[in-house]
Amino acid sequence: MSEQYTASLKLAEKMLGERAALALRSSLTSAKFGMRRGELTLDFVLDKLWSRPGLDLRARSLVTLGILIALGQLDELKTQVMAAVRNGCTIDEIDEALLHSTAYAGFPRASQATAAAAETLKAHGLID
């Protein structure tokens, strides 16, 4: 495995957890349908975007949450809420990002995103 993938897998484990990193690692050698996206995730998303200078992981997480809220991508939002926590965002900062999105993404999107985030944070014992 290349040094690039090693660093990207380490970042994936930090942000997404060991299970996600193992799934990405296995995608590199899998011929199963749809698995080639794992290589793109490691190469482009983690190595080329998340590892860039200019914004730290915490700031990138807040940007990512805002984009996912605006797009209404609730499943990915759930994943990225926990990545945001692992990247140093506080629960209050995540809540503030959700509230702020109301003005720019609209009440329905912000409400749906808040419910999805709350579900995820509750499931991990981070809120009541």
Side-chain angles (χ1 to χ4, degrees), residues 6-116:
T6 301
S8 294
L9 285 166
K10 185 176 178 181
L11 181 57
E13 186 171 350
K14 177 193 182 316
M15 288 177 46
L16 306 172
E18 183 179 359
R19 189 171 163 185
L22 289 173
L24 285 168
R25 182 186 193 109
S26 70
S27 74
L28 293 173
T29 57
S30 177
K32 288 183 182 177
F33 180 81
M35 294 297 282
R36 292 189 305 203
R37 285 176 307 153
E39 184 176 359
L40 289 174
T41 299
L42 290 167
D43 182 44
F44 179 66
V45 178
L46 293 169
D47 185 56
K48 302 283 190 292
L49 293 178
W50 280 88
S51 297
R52 289 180 53 77
L55 292 175
D56 62 14
L57 294 177
R58 185 187 149 285
R60 288 184 191 284
S61 282
L62 290 171
V63 170
T64 301
L65 292 178
I67 292 167
L68 293 172
I69 293 164
L71 292 173
Q73 296 298 315
L74 302 180
D75 289 336
E76 184 65 18
L77 178 74
K78 291 176 182 181
T79 299
Q80 292 300 325
V81 162
M82 289 311 301
V85 169
R86 290 179 184 115
N87 286 337
C89 293
T90 67
I91 302 302
D92 287 341
E93 289 171 329
I94 293 168
D95 190 31
E96 194 62 35
L98 289 157
L99 180 63
H100 193 75
S101 71
T102 303
Y104 297 94
F107 277 88
R109 287 260 163 100
S111 295
Q112 292 168 346
T114 299

